Amino acid sequence: MPAIPLRKRPTPMSDDEEPDLDNDDDDTSTVASRSQQPSSTKRTRLSESRTLSSVGSPVLPNGYRNQSQTLEPDEPKPASTEPEPHQPGSIVRVRLRDFVTYSSAEFFPGPSLNMVIGPNGTGKSTLVCAICLGLGWGPQHLGRAKDVSEFVKHGHQEAMIEIELAARPGVHKKNPVIRRQIKREGNRSHFSIDGKQCTRQAVLDLAKSFSIQIDNLCQFLPQDKVCEFAALTPVELLYSTQRAAAPEYMVEWHDNLKLLRAEQKTRQSQYATDKETLTNLKGRQQMLQADVDRLKERASIKDRIGLLEDSKPFIKYRHARARHAEAKTKRRDAQAALAQLEAEVEPALRAVNDKQEYTAQVEKVVKERRRVVDRTLVATDNAMSKQEEVEDKIKYLRKEMEAERAGEKQRKSDVLRTERAIRDLEKLMQETPPEFNPVAYNERIREKTRCRQQFHERGIQLKETQESLVRQGKEKNARISDARKDLQSLDSQVGQQTAKLKQLSRDTAEAWGWIRNNQDQFEKPIFGPPVIECSIKDARYIDLVEACLQKNDFLALTVQTRNDFRKLGDQLYGTMKLAEITIRTTFGGLDTYRAPVDEEQMRRYGFDGWAMDYLNGPEPVLAMLCGECRLNQTGVALRDISDAQYDALTTSPISSWVTGRSSFQITRRREYGPQATSTRVRDIRKADIWISQPADMGAKRDLQHNIQGWTEEIKSFELQVQEAKEQLVEIRRQVLELEEQKRDIEAEKAAKQKAIAAIKALPTKLAREQEKLTTMQQAGAELKRRLLALEDKIDDQTVEKGRVALGYARTVKKVQELQQELMHGELVQLEARSDLEVLASRNTAVKDMLQGKRREVEEIARESQAIGDAARELLAECRVFVEEAPDERKQFLQDLPENQTLEDLETEIESEKARLELVHEGNPNAMKEFEDRQKNIEGLTSKVQTMEEKLQQMEAGIREIRGQWEPELDGLVSKISDAFSRSFEKIGCAGQVGVYKDEDFDQWAIQIQVKFREHEPLSLLDSHRQSGGERAVSTIFYLMSLQSLARAPFRVVDEINQGMDPRNERMVHERMVDIACREHTSQYFLITPKLLHGLKYHPRMRVLCIASGEYMPVGGEGLDFGRCLDQRRAMVEASA
């Protein structure tokens, strides 16, 4: 067996004291010492004096040695193996001080299987409690005390837990060390990581980053939770298995499937309801069909009457169209008569027509000559514009020449000035440059800068001090405001309870304040902590009732739905970042929580009533307290009970009661037999929560004293702020003075630098000026060339001007000739018009006769036009009606008889009206009901179709997620089943694990089937078919099946082998060693008070032997457990 790395010291250590890790022997030995005064939860110990007197001489020799030992002397020692590293997140070290039974202890578990053995009451389960509490989880996961302060060793005020986890490569530089300090007073805890203070949530986040799940019974199974794990339903077991061994997304898939299936069932129910409603509506439609048909017949007759009425414009149009045809015939006859008359008078009018034609030709010629004259005038204007344009160009060229000549004057002036500048530069180059030391100037500037920076830093410090003082003043003012409000609230009962809530938990008080302002965001009302919501009915029982509750019970918030639980948790933990919050859910009423015995039996036990009978409050809050604290099962009495009543209670269904000044809690261990019970007795404290009393004057005085102190501090802050302001003003003045001095030095330096730079630049300037002079001299020759070119251009434009002038003269002469021809044509035109007027006067009578005939033709045409217009109006009216009318009305109009008159139409309308009177009207509302119902049917049909599509989409979504989740789940369970089956085969039994698949995904469950006898079939594991030992074997094998699949870095099982017979225990142990000691598996802790002889041992396993109690010798920390085994082995060999 390898060395057992556990040390216990009889004296407590301080917070800063570190264990001695330099002693090489300590790392390979087991040291067990007597414990300090035990807590009330353990069996009675001997007194300190008796312990010291009982140890006359060392029971075991002291010494240290590094070697491995086996459990039996006849087994060979295992070969040494290289130490295997711890997996990331596994536990490397656990250190305890004044925790439960331990004064000081340190554990060094191995990376694989760790067996923690020792007699009952020595503190094996204390290691489990330390792991749970040290990693940030609460005592509710242990099933023991409800307050963490109850884990502080009896007689001490503070306990310490320190856990070192294996680092994750690439993430942590060293192993994270988590420390939790537990203070008995106030039930408070302080956390730190690697020596830095932190919150409990930070510790939980670190643990969860390693996939540590203390709240998962598949990973962490303490002694008092074994029964709870056995009571897990197959559905709950599937959820816990996925959390322990499957990736997180599989749990999310399962949750999504459950939500989708729930929504699908709701929609399917609604779909079935809508289908049934649709069928009923269609049946009722058929019942109304006869009345509807009769109403439709009346409607059809009315429609025909309407059609006939609408046909009147079409009949009128036919009549108008016939009249218009007659008018057109009459107009053609009149036009023929006019043509005949015009032929008879044609010879007399021919001369007039010839003269009229001659006159038209003359007018045409005159018009053409006038156009030619106009075009020529336009050409004249263009020639004039061209001439002006040439003159403008000549003027521009002359101005350009003048500018060039002016530039020549400027160039000559620049040449003279440049020559003077060259002579001046040559003279300056002969002068000696001034002296200049830049290093001295820079040093002076830096000195001013340093002084200014010092003043600036001092100013920043003063500003920060001033801002800090202002901020502190604001904080003090806020505290004064809150204190004044607290003073006002102390005078009311609600105010007193609110003040108590703030004293107990500021986080809970802040959460309750937010809830009161946001109740409308939840499905059902959220109830505040019992300290606010509840009160005592009878003040005599206040101490007894409060003794039944822990601090978390007084502070618990009560919600009534799961959605509200999730929403409130996200708000308080996520958004508001509150840590000290307890949220509990209750779904049933008080009627679901019944007393364990009737009232008569309760009286015989000596109780006055149940704790629930003396508490007022909202029903959900009371139901929550019954579910969490079993107030409906806790008896209370003002007087102590008798011994006979106590004996009766130990065998009754009642497990807790409060009588007199003591609280009793019975723990029954069925696996040890019906008489295996232990009773924990505690003195009850004075009530301090629901007490009704006047305002706390001490609290008032404290608040008033605080207000006065804070006010004085604010005045002190104001004086310090004013002093800082004055110092800042002085610093600004000195900084401005330094900046001015620095600017003067920089200006003097710049002036000298500029002078020296100017002297150094003289050769360059001289060369530049000489080059400039050369350029200007060359520009003179270029100017002459440009002037000659401009003179040539002016000559060219002058020639062009002459050519344009000649063209203009020719155009003017042509205009004069054309104007003479135009005047001659106009005279001929006047003569032709005069001759035409003479001939026209001679044929006046003939024209009058033709004019009369033309008027007659026009009158007939107007009459025809009027008839045509009337017909067109009727046609337009008919077209509008046809465009808006449906197809059946169009067809009706097309089918009208061609020879039907308006009188025939009126007769047919009267006939249809008489027929309408013969058809009975019936129920006038039937049609409306029929139509409304038809709309409902159509709407419901559409809704059903939409619902079908949504259901199909939802089914597709379920199939998609299930197609991903189910194969992975089957694969996971298959692996678990294979490991489970192999474990059972090793012990000559059979077992398998499967998944029960239901239509509802929230009913999917793990099915464990086992067979312990050869001729029986596989059967489901439950409390009816298998014995307690068989269930224990099945449970441990199932947990071991998760070993290679678990994502958690370590797993803990406490006393799972209790209730097994030796054969099963031996087989289970062997199988556990095989699985837990494989390479690269997670760390495993097995806690047991008993072991059989000759058990299998593996080099990778580590055995932690815990020995403590009143018989431990003085100096027990020096015991060498390895030597003890050697002596035991020698004794066995000697006796053999």
Side-chain angles (χ1 to χ4, degrees), residues 305 308-309 312 905-914:
I305 293 173
L308 292 174
E309 292 286 350
K312 287 182 180 180
L905 185 62
E906 292 290 349
T907 301
E908 188 173 358
I909 290 173
E910 292 300 326
S911 173
E912 291 295 333
K913 288 182 178 179

Side-chain angles (χ1 to χ4, degrees), residues 8 12 63 167 218 308 347 416 535 587 610 612 622 770 776 808 822 859 896 1053 1078:
K8 274 190 161 184
C218 287
L308 292 174
L416 294 176
S535 61
F587 301 106
W610 306 105
M612 193 70 251
L622 298 180
Q770 291 173 346
M776 287 189 292
Y808 177 71
L822 177 61
E859 182 66 26
L896 287 175
V1053 178
R1078 293 172 181 168

Side-chain angles (χ1 to χ4, degrees), residues 864-893:
S864 176
Q865 181 67 31
I867 295 172
D869 291 342
R872 279 190 289 274
E873 289 178 1
L874 290 170
L875 178 61
E877 183 179 353
C878 294
R879 283 176 176 172
V880 171
F881 180 81
V882 169
E883 290 175 357
E884 297 177 353
D887 293 340
E888 59 270 12
R889 287 180 177 262
K890 294 179 183 178
Q891 187 61 40
F892 178 83
L893 296 174

